[in-house]
Each structure stands twice: as C-alpha cells, then as structure tokens.
C-alpha cells in the first residue's frame, strides 16, 4: 500500500507540473523572461507541495474512515455570507473584478453546495428513519410559510415601484379589462399557490420550495426506480435549466422556442431545472459506502480553472441570467469530497452552531439589505463610487444580520412561530 501510494504521489507531481506549467506559460506574461520563469517555478513548486500534502491527508483520513462534517458546516456558513454579498452587489459600480468574483464565480457555487449537502445528510438520516424525508419536509414547511408571511410588508413596499410596469404588462394581455380583473380575483388563490411552489414570496425564498419539492420527487421516485435513473434525468433537466445562462450561443430556432417558456416562467431557477439534480446527487453520494475519489483536490483545482474560464467566456455572450453554470457540477462534487476527507479547517467555539447561523443568515439578510439601502436613500448618502464603501456596506449588513440571527436562535424555542 505504501509503495502504491508513493507511485500515486509521483504521478500526481507530474500531472501538477504539466498542468500548472501550461497555465504559467500561457497566462502569466512578464516583460522580463527570467522573472517569468522564476515566478513560474516558485508557483509550480509551492502548488505541488500544497496539493500533495492535502492529497496525502485526505488519503490517510479515508483509510481511517474519518469524515469531517464540521468543514461542511463551516462552508455553509461562509457561503451564506457570499450569498449576502451577491444579493447586496456592493461592487457593481466600483470594481468589475470583485463584482464578477462574488456574483458570477464564487456566488454560483453556493446554492448547488447547499442542495448537495442537504441531499447527502437526508440519505444518512434515512438509514435510521425510513420516513425521514416526509418528516424533514413537514418540519421545513412551517418555517417557509412563516418567513413568506414576514416578507409580505417588504414586498408591498418594494413592489409599489413596479405598479406602472405591471399595468403595462396587463394591458398587453388580449383579454378585455372588465373580464381580466374578475379572472385575476377568481384565480388569486391558485396564483398564490403557484408563487409559493415556484419562487417564494421574496426572491431568496425560492430555495425552500425547490428543496422540498426535490425531496418529495426523490422520495416518490426511489420507491419505484433506481436513483441512478433519476440522476440522469435530472441532469438532462439541468441542461435545459442552463439554457438561460448559455442563451447567446444557442441556435436562433431554439431561442425562439425557449422564448415561450420564459414569457410565462421568467427563470429556470426552480426545483425541476436546478434543485432536483443537486439534491439527487447529494442523496446518491450519501447512499454510497465508499465516497473517496483519488486526486479529488487536484481535480478541484482544474474545475476552479474551468469555472473561471467559463465565466469569462460567458461575459462575452448574451445571457438571460447566470444562475446555472455547468462547471459548478464537478466543482461542487470534488469540493464536497475534499471538505469531507480533510482535517478540520477551523474549530468553532461559539455559543450557537454555524449551521443555525447560516440558516438565519440566509433567511434574514434580504430584509437587512432592504433596510440598509433604504437608510442610505433617506440620508441621501452618495458613495461616489468608492471601493471602500462597498466593504463598509458588507460589514454593516453582516453585523446587523448576525445580531438578528442571534436573536432568532436565542428565542426560537420560546416563541410559538417556527422562526
């Protein structure tokens, strides 16, 4: 086993040297050739040492059957902060690079990671309770409905500015106004149900119906057929969901067909075309006894480079949105495995768990963002497109979100409502 591992380390070194060497030669440009060669060698050596050390650590933990779930909680917490920054977009008018980094690179990994981790732990819990999915969805439903109601005042305040747009949209519908209004009133309960099942009452709440519906489909499917088949079908559906990201490179005939879908549903960011695949993937991983994949960290590095390259390419094409980026699929998978088999990255000693904080960060931050932007508007604050104000906005929103999350965690058992 030891000789075999030494051979694997040697192969890993060769692959890393060739791969990173190509990156250095093709991307890094220096006016001084000697300086470029020196930097390239240092970069290659340091990267090789880091990768080999991590790979050996993961290999040792695998043979000890040692998994680190704390790393998953840590990155759920960190990714909840990234999503907060993505929704705040503090660098939109000040730094193209930072806005691209948070909005279209790191920010696109977060939700797939959440879905995958949820599916993984559901599979593990199901070993003790075969009806765990049903119990999990029942527990999540009151939470989702409660926060949907809590965000209604913000929706009414925020939505008032869109009334002229809504009226102009209604006027385009080829139905007489005297008939349209009664129809809207008559079908308003159905419309409300569709909103709750499709997008949520506020923009970030779509995640909860997507997760619940994905789990219910998964529960129904696994009683009849193999999970592997659902994984294939859900991946095909994910490819359709990605059409809003890759819209500009699709044939015009296909764009025309897609236009009918987007006229009614606006986005593919839902359980069917997004959540189902990642939840099923996580569940499938959780069912497997042997999760370890050799060279996961090396493959993760390659996937990161692919994601950056794909994102830069997409900036040159027409997009309807960037919710689904295909390179996030392998990246999320290898990132999950690396976290699971690495040593504990950080020891959290806070009173409240990172898992609980990340949940409330996600639930609360849009309300905090709305409040803070309203305050800036009231005091007529002008940032003058200064980069430092972007970081200040992040700090203030994060502090306020953290305080409110602590309050929710402290009183969630004392209050009757499921916050």
């Amino acid at each position: 086993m030891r000789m075999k591992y030494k051979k694997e380390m040697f192969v890993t070194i060769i692959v890393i040297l060739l791969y990173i060497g190509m990156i250095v030669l093709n991307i890094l440009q220096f006016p001084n050739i000697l300086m470029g060669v020196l930097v390239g060698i240092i970069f290659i050596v340091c990267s090789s040492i880091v990768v080999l050390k991590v790979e050996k650590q993961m290999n040792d933990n695998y043979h000890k059957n040692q998994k680190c779930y704390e790393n998953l909680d840590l990155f759920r917490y960190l990714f909840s902060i990234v999503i907060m920054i993505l929704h705040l977009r503090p660098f939109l008018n000040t730094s193209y690079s930072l806005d691209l980094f948070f909005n279209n690179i790191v920010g696109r990994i977060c939700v797939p990671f959440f879905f995958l981790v949820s599916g993984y732990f559901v599979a593990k819990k199901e070993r003790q309770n075969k009806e765990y999915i049903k119990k999990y969805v029942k527990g999540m439903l009151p939470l989702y409905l409660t926060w949907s109601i809590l965000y209604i005042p913000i929706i009414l305040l925020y939505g008032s500015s869109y009334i002229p747009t809504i009226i102009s949209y209604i006027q385009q519908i080829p139905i007489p106004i005297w008939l349209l209004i009664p129809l809207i009133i008559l079908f308003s309960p159905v419309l409300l149900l569709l909103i709750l099942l499709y997008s949520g009452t506020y923009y970030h709440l779509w995640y909860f119906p997507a997760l619940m519906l994905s789990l219910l489909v998964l529960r129904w499917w696994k009683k009849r057929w193999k999970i592997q088949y659902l994984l294939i079908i859900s991946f095909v559906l994910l490819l359709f969901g990605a059409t809003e990201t890759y819209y500009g490179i699709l044939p015009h005939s296909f764009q025309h067909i897609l236009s009918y879908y987007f006229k009614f549903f606006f986005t593919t960011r839902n359980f069917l075309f997004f959540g189902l695949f990642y939840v099923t993937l996580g569940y499938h991983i959780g069912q497997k006894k042997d999760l370890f994949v050799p060279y996961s960290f090396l493959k993760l590095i390659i996937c990161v480079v692919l994601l950056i390259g794909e994102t830069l390419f997409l900036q040159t094409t027409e997009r309807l949105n960037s919710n689904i980026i295909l390179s996030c699929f392998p990246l999320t998978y290898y990132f999950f495995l690396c976290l699971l088999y690495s040593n504990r990255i950080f020891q959290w000693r806070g009173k409240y768990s990172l898992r609980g904080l990340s949940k409330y960060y996600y639930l609360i931050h849009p309300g905090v963002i709305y409040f803070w932007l309203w305050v800036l508007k009231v005091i007529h604050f002008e940032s003058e497109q200064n980069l430092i104000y972007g970081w200040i906005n992040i700090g203030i929103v994060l502090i306020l979100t953290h305080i409110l999350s602590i309050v929710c965690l402290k009183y969630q058992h004392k209050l009757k409502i499921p916050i």
Side-chain angles (χ1 to χ4, degrees), residues 239-240 242-260 262 317-318 320:
L239 292 178
F240 176 82
T243 55
E244 69 172 18
T245 305
Y246 304 92
Y247 186 81
I249 63 176
L250 297 174
H252 291 292
S253 57
F254 196 58
Q255 289 180 356
H256 180 69
I257 295 171
L258 287 173
S259 65
Y260 292 104
F262 289 110
T317 65
E318 180 187 0
L320 302 179

Side-chain angles (χ1 to χ4, degrees), residues 381-394:
F381 179 79
E382 296 291 340
S383 67
E384 298 179 356
Q385 295 189 350
N386 193 324
L387 188 64
I388 191 67
Y389 289 113
W391 293 109
I392 292 173
N393 284 336
I394 291 173

Side-chain angles (χ1 to χ4, degrees), residues 179-225:
L179 180 59
L180 184 61
I181 292 175
L183 286 174
I184 292 174
I185 296 172
L186 179 63
F187 288 101
S188 56
V190 178
L191 291 172
L192 178 61
L193 181 63
L194 288 174
I195 289 171
L196 288 173
L197 290 175
Y198 183 70
S199 62
T201 56
Y202 208 55
Y203 63 83
H204 69 305
L205 293 175
W206 74 273
Y207 172 81
F208 293 93
L211 177 58
M212 289 187 288
L213 290 171
S214 296
L215 288 172
L216 290 175
V217 170
L218 177 65
R219 179 175 180 264
W220 175 82
W221 182 277
K222 69 187 184 67
K223 291 180 179 180
R224 294 162 176 80
W225 302 287

